[in-house]
Amino acid sequence: MHKPSLIVIDVRKVTSLKVKMCRAVCLLALIVLISPAAEALDNGLALKPTMGWLHWERFMCNINCDKDPNNCISERLYMQMADVMVKEGWKEAGYEYVCIDDCWPSHRRDAKGRLQADPKRFPGGIKKLADYVHSKGLKLGIYADVGKNTCAGYPGSLGYYETDAQTFADWDVDLLKFDGCNMDWTLLGEGYVNMSKALNKTGRSILYSCEWPLYEWPFQKPNYTAIRETCNHWRNFADVYDSWSSVKSILDWTASHQDIIAPSAGPGGWNDPDMLVIGNFGLSHDQQESQMALWAIMAAPLLVSNDLRDICPRSKELLQNRHIIAISQDALGKQGYRTAKVDSFEVWERRLSKNRLAIAVMNKQEIGGPRGFYVAAAPGWKICDPECNVTQILPQYKEMGVQTPHTKMVVSVNPSGTTLLTVTPTSSDFTGLYKLHWNDTSVKRRQNIIL
């Protein structure tokens, strides 16, 4: 085991940190005390962040079933994934949706104007596939587009919103991912609202995953009140790739826009930073732990895109980690925030139910070895008064015992890795403590921060 390096930093040299922290911490105080910006879409779904498997990042638009029958977009792929989800503990861990992305349909609608699955790759049709997935105790998701064509050039839903919604309902589909390609951006909102209404009109409970803000941000700030009233979750930023630079860009975008997007998240509607790429090729294990931890802090949907049939045991264990999933699915439904940046560390924090707080410390330095972070430097540590119980979730589960406001506890964080903690104050008057400490951001004396 490597011994963490310890660096003593005088507060006079990190004044800028305090300024950056002040705004985030004050914002957290406000968010704790107010309700979400708008009522959620009233369909009774997504009361917790959605969990499941989605094909796109790993399998993309592979339609060559002659040369690659095991990995092409076909009913066989989804049936096999459903089988594995049941047999290998994914369903038990909470992953319940098997989701089809782009490239599933025929290039032509049928004689009645309805979408139809490619007959060669889906010979049984989507209804038969849905029946199979349901027989496993899972749910089926499907993909369509608000515009004239999908991103891959298949028929879009523009002009067919009610037809397509009813078709999906007739097939017993449980989730719709509705993309935003090939659409005049000024009509995006109208299109997404119309499909939302069409889905509700069918009478079937269909979770509605939108990409409305993703396509509107290049032109103007989206209306998150309207988005939350329309969708169950929504993409904001670029597609995730199987790379650490991609994951970092999503985290950076989310943090820089958190004052806009985080208040809209809560039971019934969530910000979606895109798929988990854990178990693929591009991330080290520490980076996989960072993605899993930060997606849980962000209260993000946990939609895995990998090959569940062939995944390394460590990645599988991470994705099925019940302690991380418990943070993700926490009943309070508050999205977390990045609350501090200092010396290539980032601190992300999320308020949890039962008077608890989740703290993620990410080491952004990508050189050298593990570094130590003094946990009392985290803004949220102020709730540890007079005492708190601390549990380390990542990188290994460990009970850290009872701590005090002035604890000297240091956690070790690997390069591009994350240490994830939960903190439970022993005080019964948690609400008062939370209001007091999250608002107290003044620097009253010089002190040293050990990192």
Side-chain angles (χ1 to χ4, degrees):
M1 180 178 294
H2 294 284
K3 183 178 180 180
S5 58
L6 300 181
I7 306 169
V8 180
I9 298 179
D10 192 282
V11 165
R12 290 171 295 182
K13 298 181 180 180
V14 290
T15 302
S16 61
L17 163 67
K18 295 297 182 180
V19 174
K20 292 177 182 177
M21 288 165 54
C22 180
R23 182 184 179 191
V25 172
C26 289
L27 174 62
L28 273 173
L30 176 62
I31 298 305
V32 166
L33 299 176
I34 63 174
S35 300
E39 293 297 319
L41 172 62
D42 187 20
N43 62 3
L45 301 174
L47 299 181
K48 298 180 180 180
T50 306
M51 295 178 63
W53 177 89
L54 177 63
H55 96 240
W56 184 257
E57 194 287 323
R58 178 60 183 262
F59 296 95
M60 301 184 69
C61 194
N62 180 359
I63 59 174
N64 193 338
C65 291
D66 292 330
K67 292 186 177 180
D68 195 9
N70 292 325
N71 300 300
C72 67
I73 307 309
S74 67
E75 64 182 26
R76 176 182 178 181
L77 179 68
Y78 305 101
M79 290 178 176
Q80 289 181 350
M81 293 301 169
D83 291 342
V84 174
M85 286 175 71
V86 174
K87 294 177 182 178
E88 299 295 330
W90 299 96
K91 175 187 172 185
E92 183 179 358
Y95 295 90
E96 62 174 338
Y97 287 89
V98 180
C99 297
I100 305 168
D101 209 287
D102 206 346
C103 305
W104 65 270
S106 168
H107 280 287
R108 292 185 179 180
R109 291 176 176 268
D110 69 12
K112 294 184 179 180
R114 296 173 298 190
L115 290 170
Q116 52 187 343
D118 182 279
K120 183 177 180 179
R121 293 182 285 117
F122 294 84
I126 301 300
K127 178 63 169 68
K128 180 180 177 182
L129 178 57
D131 290 344
Y132 185 86
V133 170
H134 293 157
S135 74
K136 302 293 181 178
L138 300 169
K139 298 177 180 179
L140 183 69
I142 205 163
Y143 169 99
D145 193 284
V146 71
K148 182 179 180 181
N149 299 103
T150 71
C151 298
Y154 291 84
S157 293
L158 183 62
Y160 294 91
Y161 295 139
E162 290 196 0
T163 298
D164 290 354
Q166 189 59 54
T167 299
F168 299 145
D170 292 342
W171 288 343
D172 291 339
V173 165
D174 304 291
L175 178 152
L176 172 62
K177 176 181 175 179
F178 208 42
D179 215 332
C181 283
N182 301 302
M183 182 67 162
D184 181 341
W185 78 270
T186 63
L187 302 177
L188 277 171
E190 178 183 348
Y192 277 102
V193 168
N194 286 340
M195 178 54 92
S196 183
K197 293 178 178 177
L199 290 171
N200 285 339
K201 185 178 178 181
T202 68
R204 180 169 179 79
S205 294
I206 300 178
L207 192 152
Y208 189 33
S209 175
C210 301
E211 308 216 349
W212 176 356
L214 167 63
Y215 289 91
E216 191 166 326
W217 266 113
F219 304 99
Q220 66 181 21
K221 175 183 171 182
N223 180 348
Y224 279 92
T225 298
I227 291 167
R228 178 172 169 80
E229 291 171 345
T230 302
C231 310
N232 290 119
H233 41 82
W234 47 87
R235 285 276 309 285
N236 294 301
F237 187 58
D239 288 1
V240 69
Y241 280 67
D242 189 13
S243 74
W244 181 232
S245 62
S246 174
V247 172
K248 285 192 299 181
S249 71
I250 291 170
L251 293 172
D252 289 342
W253 188 94
T254 300
S256 64
H257 294 80
Q258 61 187 5
D259 56 334
I260 298 172
I261 68 172
S264 64
W270 311 95
N271 290 294
D272 181 5
D274 210 5
M275 296 161 277
L276 292 166
V277 294
I278 296 165
N280 289 318
F281 311 99
L283 303 185
S284 70
H285 189 72
D286 286 296
Q287 292 162 356
Q288 292 182 46
E289 289 185 341
S290 290
Q291 191 189 22
M292 189 69 179
L294 273 299
W295 261 236
I297 291 287
M298 293 188 292
L302 301 183
L303 295 171
V304 178
S305 189
N306 57 22
D307 191 344
L308 299 176
R309 303 165 300 184
D310 183 20
I311 183 172
C312 79
R314 288 187 76 192
S315 296
K316 177 183 175 183
E317 182 181 9
L318 174 62
L319 286 164
Q320 294 186 3
N321 186 306
R322 62 185 179 90
H323 302 292
I324 307 173
I325 291 173
I327 294 173
S328 162
Q329 303 291 293
D330 185 74
L332 188 62
K334 295 286 187 181
Q335 178 170 333
Y337 288 78
R338 187 177 71 185
T339 56
K341 291 179 66 177
V342 58
D343 193 31
S344 296
F345 282 109
E346 289 188 0
V347 179
W348 292 67
E349 300 178 304
R350 177 182 175 185
R351 188 185 175 192
L352 304 175
S353 60
K354 299 180 181 178
N355 299 347
R356 296 170 300 135
L357 184 72
I359 302 176
V361 180
M362 181 168 59
N363 180 1
K364 295 291 291 291
Q365 187 165 290
E366 298 177 27
I367 191 172
R371 295 192 299 148
F373 184 87
Y374 176 36
V375 295
W381 193 257
K382 294 180 178 67
I383 69 170
C384 189
D385 187 0
E387 293 179 335
C388 58
N389 287 299
V390 180
T391 302
Q392 178 179 286
I393 308 300
L394 286 174
Q396 295 91 26
Y397 184 88
K398 185 188 304 183
E399 292 292 346
M400 309 296 282
V402 176
Q403 305 294 329
T404 65
H406 305 294
T407 181
K408 301 300 182 183
M409 184 173 69
V410 174
V411 294
S412 177
V413 194
N414 291 343
S416 67
T418 295
T419 293
L420 180 63
L421 308 170
T422 56
V423 181
T424 304
T426 57
S427 170
S428 59
D429 186 21
F430 176 80
T431 303
L433 276 171
Y434 209 89
K435 291 178 182 178
L436 171 65
H437 289 311
W438 285 102
N439 280 287
D440 181 11
T441 61
S442 60
V443 181
K444 297 180 179 178
R445 64 184 185 278
R446 296 178 183 177
Q447 58 183 352
N448 288 332
I449 298 175
I450 301 177
L451 299 175

